[in-house]
Amino acid sequence: MTIEITGVCPDRFAAVREVFTANFEDGGELGARFAFAVDGEVVIDLMGGHADRKRTVPFGPDTLTALFSTTKAVAALMVARLVDEGRLAYDQPVADVWPEFAQAGKQDITVEQALSHQAGLSGFPDETDPAIWFDWDATCAKLAAMAPLFPVGSASGYHPVTYGYLAGEIFRRVDGRTMGTALREDLCVPLGLDLWIGLPDSEHDRCAELMRPSALPKFGEINDAVKAAFLTPWAAPGGRGTADWRRVEIPSANGHATAPALARLMGALACGGTLDGRSLITPAGIRAATAERIVGQDLVLPFVISWGAGFMRNTPNFFYGPNPETFGHSGWGGSCAFADPARGVSGAYVMNKQGSALIGDPRAVRLIEAAYAGL
């Protein structure tokens, strides 16, 4: 079956179109979109395939895709802006702004430790109603009361869902608004970005249907942190329908966006913090957010990972092109977004046929490598 590929792709990036097409021809895609920006301007915007499993609705310019953990890059930026404005510090204890968090020996955990997956709160080890994730206050109260699953600061242990509540509650305690509300008011509406954390009902009809992965991911060695993060019936939101999941704000897991919106937002981080003439964050703020907080074998993901304050740094895995200065985040199933300050480029890949790679989906890696080859 021939898939129609639409969008913009200059001749010098012809290899990107070839890779994008091949991803479909190999049976790896249902619907997908890839955007690549140079100096904040989207120069590649390719889309194709279908937004629904029955293959009747084209994957078009208005199709929204669930981002899963790629949302974490957006959340990291929102916290970074508070730090940049002097309203929060990475090295201050979380309990300074969220006093209840000091329970169970967590009084000294810093904001940067929480954002770099060092807090030992990768998930709930005890039996929990999976509907708790739809109740912000109940989830935050449970996290505040919880004891760390591993010694704080000894390693990173990826927090797939809890990260969003940690970052989001820190943000809310400082700013007063939920992160999703502030994102809309401060960035998305003024800049015209089709990006949401907490999707209103009016936008649900635009969402691509997901096709789940055919194989389970490879987690590596199973430990308590992995079990709590991924392998319990309550590790992810459950017991409610898709509409409720889209509607709720989970800044670690349920962002929805188009690829160009993500590429443009990350473009600000690749270009000194400015987008469309508006300063979103200072260059110093970007450096502070992306500086390495910890590097080593992650306890939850089977990778050696270098973490900034919520951003996944490109070394040592180089999932986001050739430059060590690049940073971003990947999401379950294959999505990703990245920024490269060294070259002033950024990009995003979204899709609705999920792969089983935990990070570094080969479809995205091939597209990013082809885009760099055309620079």
Side-chain angles (χ1 to χ4, degrees):
M1 184 172 65
T2 303
I3 297 291
E4 183 184 7
I5 305 298
T6 60
V8 178
C9 186
D11 289 345
R12 67 181 171 133
F13 294 112
V16 179
R17 181 184 286 272
E18 291 171 10
V19 170
F20 191 76
T21 304
N23 283 347
F24 281 93
E25 291 174 344
D26 296 344
E29 300 285 23
L30 173 60
R33 193 171 184 181
F34 177 68
F36 188 71
V38 178
D39 297 330
E41 180 182 348
V42 174
V43 295
I44 302 172
D45 179 15
L46 290 172
M47 70 204 85
H50 295 90
D52 65 327
R53 290 188 291 268
K54 292 181 179 177
R55 301 177 190 266
T56 60
V57 179
F59 197 106
D62 295 326
T63 300
L64 288 173
T65 313
L67 304 176
F68 293 95
S69 287
T70 299
T71 312
K72 292 181 174 72
V74 180
L77 170 59
M78 294 301 290
V79 175
R81 296 180 79 237
L82 292 182
V83 175
D84 197 38
E85 292 163 3
R87 301 164 69 191
L88 182 70
Y90 285 126
D91 61 357
Q92 78 180 100
V94 173
D96 277 4
V97 299
W98 180 2
E100 300 90 332
F101 189 78
Q103 297 174 73
K106 302 195 304 302
Q107 65 275 3
D108 295 327
I109 293 177
T110 61
V111 172
E112 63 191 351
Q113 286 176 321
L115 293 176
S116 56
H117 305 272
Q118 299 182 65
L121 307 173
S122 59
F124 298 132
D126 55 317
E127 187 169 346
T128 303
D129 182 348
I132 191 174
W133 303 106
F134 295 94
D135 185 332
W136 183 272
D137 290 341
T139 301
C140 290
K142 192 170 177 69
L143 283 169
M146 180 179 162
L149 294 172
F150 55 84
V152 175
S154 63
S156 66
Y158 184 59
H159 294 34
V161 184
T162 55
Y163 169 94
Y165 297 84
L166 297 172
E169 185 66 2
I170 291 167
F171 184 93
R172 189 181 72 85
R173 295 285 179 131
V174 174
D175 184 84
R177 295 172 293 173
T178 67
M179 187 178 278
T181 297
L183 174 68
R184 293 299 305 159
E185 293 177 353
D186 297 350
L187 300 182
C188 296
V189 172
L191 294 164
L193 300 176
D194 200 356
L195 166 63
W196 315 73
I197 298 175
L199 190 67
D201 290 11
S202 59
E203 312 302 319
H204 287 202
D205 287 347
R206 299 198 285 132
C207 290
E209 289 181 358
L210 294 173
M211 185 181 286
R212 301 288 185 182
S214 56
L216 285 172
K218 295 179 173 65
F219 288 110
E221 183 181 338
I222 304 301
N223 56 42
D224 288 344
V226 174
K227 288 177 190 172
F230 287 119
L231 301 179
T232 68
W234 55 88
R240 307 272 283 270
T242 301
D244 277 351
W245 178 77
R246 289 172 177 159
R247 200 177 287 130
V248 72
E249 289 186 25
I250 308 177
S252 49
N254 81 331
H256 287 76
T258 65
L262 276 176
R264 291 186 66 222
L265 184 64
M266 297 302 285
L269 298 177
C271 301
T274 299
L275 181 62
D276 295 349
R278 296 171 63 106
S279 176
L280 310 190
I281 186 171
T282 66
I286 297 169
R287 290 193 295 273
T290 59
E292 184 174 87
R293 295 326 200 278
I294 191 166
V295 61
Q297 176 61 55
D298 193 86
L299 296 180
V300 173
L301 295 175
F303 295 92
V304 173
I305 301 177
S306 171
W307 289 106
F311 291 104
M312 195 175 281
R313 289 158 50 85
N314 206 24
T315 53
N317 299 298
F318 291 92
F319 292 136
Y320 312 125
N323 290 333
E325 298 90 345
T326 303
F327 55 88
H329 216 288
S330 299
W332 179 55
S335 68
C336 70
F338 65 91
D340 176 357
R343 295 297 297 270
V345 301
S346 60
Y349 166 73
V350 300
M351 76 301 125
N352 59 342
K353 183 176 181 179
Q354 296 185 294
S356 59
L358 285 166
I359 49 176
D361 188 286
R363 296 169 294 180
V365 170
R366 289 191 293 263
L367 287 164
I368 294 167
E369 287 175 350
Y372 270 91
L375 288 174

